[in-house]
Amino acid sequence: MALIVHKYGGTSMGSTERIRNVARRVAKWARAGHQMVVVPSAMSGETNRLLGLARELAPEAPDTSYSRELDALAATGEQASSALLAIALQSLGQPSVSYAGWQVGIKTNNAYNKARIESIDDARVLADLNAGKVVIITGFQGVDDEGNITTLGRGGSDTSAVAIAVALKAHECLIYTDVDGVYTTDPRVVPEARRLQTVSFEEMLEMASLGSKVLQIRSVEFAGKYKMPMRVLSSFTDWDIDINEEAKSGTLISFEEDENMEKAIVSGIAFNRDEAKVSVLGVPDTPGIAAQILCAVADANIEVDVIIQNISKDGKTDFSFTVHSNDFAKTVELLKSTVVPQLGAQEVTGDAKICKVSIVGIGMRSHVGVASKMFRVLAEEGINIQMISTSEIKTSVVIDEKYMELAVRALHKAFGLDQPAV
Ligand code: ADP
Ligand code: ASP
Ligand code: MG
């Protein structure tokens, strides 16, 4: 008998029929003697629907104008699905209780829409578990010190689940979703993508941060920090499959590197369509310019990703970087109004139709020529590379958005990811 946390994503909770199946699966685990905590997402489409209603009422305002109310609104999606799951479990004869994050002391900071979990009060949950109940806790949300409801950012239920598992010292956190594990790349883009039986924590961290939305990056960070065993698996298998078989299915996020991982030089390909490129043209090539541009951007709370500075010609240079596409208009405006006049730069240009494609693998540490192979593959497809960024276990390129699928498919093939691992 162990304390297990299950997380079910939006598609897995997408209809009453699917909720009933989740309930049957959870009841099976409880009958096998496990103490069960379940963290559901809102039913699929619900978070977007709610945020869409707000946009109808305030179309002009940037999302930040109503941050507090938007979080209060979005959090209701998970409250509804949690209560529905508790009802489904009770109707199967399985005692169960649902709680919103604030009811079990999920304390966060007050950064609306990207709040971070600071502490969780486990007493109430443990008492219910000891009384034989399945405890359901809303994903995606918490409460700040002043009692305001906060949310953790899109995809945040993954992070709720891992944080709850850590707080309760669970045996394992199982992330049930609409694919049966972590693949070499998004199987919806490359049908030949293969499921990985294990993926190292570091690779998963890179893949999540580079755009593989199968797990929210902060859930992976949490799991790594507290060494919480974490597995991604399908909620679409028959609910009554053998529990031991189910427990071994999917993809394990591993904290130990084994030899096989080193064998695969590239383990996965991630892509991100949500970035935009901004260039400040004709800035003087003198010390402190990069700091001046990027400090202005950071002061406006805008995160910068890939950065590139060209060589100078006639003492002038061009400086480009990428930001999240939501911040694109704000960044261009800011640079035009302050930085350009201050620095005497020529102009600011932008391109929102770009994407970032990355290859990831811990084997890259010990192999040379991986990045050059990536560039060659892209060149053979006639794809122009606009920016490059590397780290020990990844190489990313920024390219025209219209070539994204072509680039991902070509790289997937060239690095042998469509072939069964040896
Ligand atoms: P949930 O609603 O269960 O949280 P998400 O939509 O957030 O599910 O994440 C699952 C989706 O992630 C899959 O349907 C798949 O399209 C996408 N995805 C992206 N990259 C990968 C990958 N490398 N492996 C598996 N799925 C991936
Ligand atoms: N419902 C939230 C979202 O759509 C959180 C989640 O699904 O993890 O982003
Ligand atoms: Mg998700």
Side-chain angles (χ1 to χ4, degrees):
M1 185 184 105
L3 198 164
I4 309 273
V5 174
H6 280 191
K7 179 259 171 178
Y8 291 91
T11 323
S12 312
M13 297 290 293
S15 65
T16 47
E17 192 43 41
R18 287 192 177 156
I19 293 175
R20 200 190 306 280
N21 268 322
V22 168
R24 288 185 177 129
R25 189 182 296 277
V26 170
K28 174 183 77 178
W29 280 74
R31 274 199 307 277
H34 297 299
Q35 292 193 309
M36 297 301 301
V37 175
V38 185
V39 179
S41 292
M43 294 171 78
S44 57
E46 181 62 5
T47 312
N48 286 342
R49 188 187 72 85
L50 291 165
L51 296 175
L53 293 176
R55 231 168 276 127
E56 272 178 39
L57 291 170
E60 308 297 325
D63 277 355
T64 43
S65 310
Y66 302 95
S67 306
R68 181 184 181 281
E69 304 313 325
L70 287 171
D71 275 23
L73 173 70
T76 62
E78 271 70 11
Q79 237 172 289
S81 61
S82 294
L84 288 169
L85 182 57
I87 291 167
L89 278 159
Q90 289 168 20
S91 81
L92 296 175
Q94 170 60 55
S96 169
V97 58
S98 77
Y99 292 116
W102 64 268
Q103 290 176 296
V104 286
I106 300 189
K107 283 278 175 67
T108 70
N109 63 10
N110 62 0
Y112 293 120
N113 182 35
K114 44 177 178 275
R116 286 182 172 264
I117 296 179
E118 288 172 345
S119 63
I120 297 179
D121 180 5
D122 58 9
R124 195 168 186 182
V125 179
L126 291 174
D128 284 324
L129 289 173
N130 290 333
K133 290 182 193 164
V134 168
V135 180
I136 300 160
I137 305 174
T138 51
F140 187 47
Q141 62 195 270
V143 62
D144 73 7
D145 280 344
E146 264 102 59
N148 302 302
I149 290 178
T150 53
T151 65
L152 312 182
R154 299 308 302 264
S157 299
D158 298 331
T159 304
S160 307
V162 179
I164 288 166
V166 169
L168 297 172
K169 301 187 179 58
H171 178 70
E172 194 171 16
C173 182
L174 303 181
I175 308 283
Y176 286 86
T177 183
D178 55 5
V179 283
D180 63 352
V182 178
Y183 277 67
T184 46
T185 192
D186 188 338
R188 295 185 205 284
V189 170
V190 181
E192 296 78 24
R194 279 183 311 102
R195 180 172 62 81
L196 300 164
Q197 271 200 324
T198 58
V199 59
S200 78
F201 154 72
E202 280 174 285
E203 286 170 328
M204 195 63 242
L205 201 58
E206 284 285 9
M207 281 174 69
S209 83
L210 295 167
S212 300
K213 68 163 188 164
V214 61
L215 289 175
Q216 198 199 35
I217 181 170
R218 276 198 279 133
S219 70
V220 187
E221 283 169 358
F222 243 110
K225 185 164 174 200
Y226 297 98
K227 298 276 180 294
M228 172 53 61
M230 185 180 189
R231 186 178 283 278
V232 177
L233 65 173
S234 173
S235 69
F236 290 151
T237 53
D238 290 336
W239 68 267
D240 56 352
I241 59 167
D242 178 68
I243 197 167
N244 295 315
E245 197 187 309
E246 186 176 331
K248 282 186 285 182
S249 66
T251 301
L252 177 72
I253 317 301
S254 164
F255 300 110
E256 283 149 31
E257 291 178 13
D258 66 31
E259 285 168 22
N260 286 333
M261 289 178 179
E262 292 282 349
K263 265 192 217 153
I265 300 172
V266 172
S267 302
I269 299 179
F271 50 84
N272 187 354
R273 294 183 177 96
D274 299 332
E275 290 195 29
K277 186 173 84 169
V278 182
S279 301
V280 190
L281 306 181
V283 286
D285 193 12
T286 50
I289 292 297
Q292 250 178 290
I293 296 174
L294 295 181
C295 287
V297 175
D299 287 346
N301 218 356
I302 297 168
E303 270 180 50
V304 168
D305 185 22
V306 186
I307 303 171
I308 190 167
Q309 183 178 336
N310 288 341
I311 49 162
S312 74
K313 214 173 117 203
D314 309 325
K316 299 260 182 192
T317 185
D318 299 339
F319 189 89
S320 303
F321 55 94
T322 63
V323 293
H324 193 283
S325 30
N326 290 346
D327 292 324
F328 178 55
K330 189 172 158 192
T331 310
V332 171
E333 191 45 46
L334 172 84
L335 293 173
K336 277 190 175 153
S337 60
T338 58
V339 175
V340 167
Q342 270 167 22
L343 296 181
Q346 271 155 10
E347 62 171 320
V348 177
T349 61
D351 185 356
K353 291 197 163 47
I354 53 133
C355 71
K356 189 173 72 176
V357 175
S358 310
I359 54 174
V360 176
I362 48 180
M364 286 168 73
R365 274 193 202 130
S366 47
H367 289 81
V368 292
V370 185
S372 55
K373 179 170 173 179
M374 179 188 199
F375 305 153
R376 195 177 64 239
V377 171
L378 296 173
E380 279 163 10
E381 297 293 341
I383 299 171
N384 185 39
I385 299 171
Q386 303 181 18
M387 300 168 109
I388 300 169
S389 131
T390 62
S391 76
E392 212 185 13
I393 67 161
K394 72 119 206 273
T395 301
S396 302
V397 294
V398 171
I399 59 172
D400 190 325
E401 184 184 67
K402 68 174 182 259
Y403 297 123
M404 193 200 80
E405 294 198 4
L406 176 63
V408 175
R409 287 209 186 97
L411 292 168
H412 194 265
K413 189 152 195 293
F415 284 102
L417 295 177
D418 49 352
Q419 302 300 320
V422 277

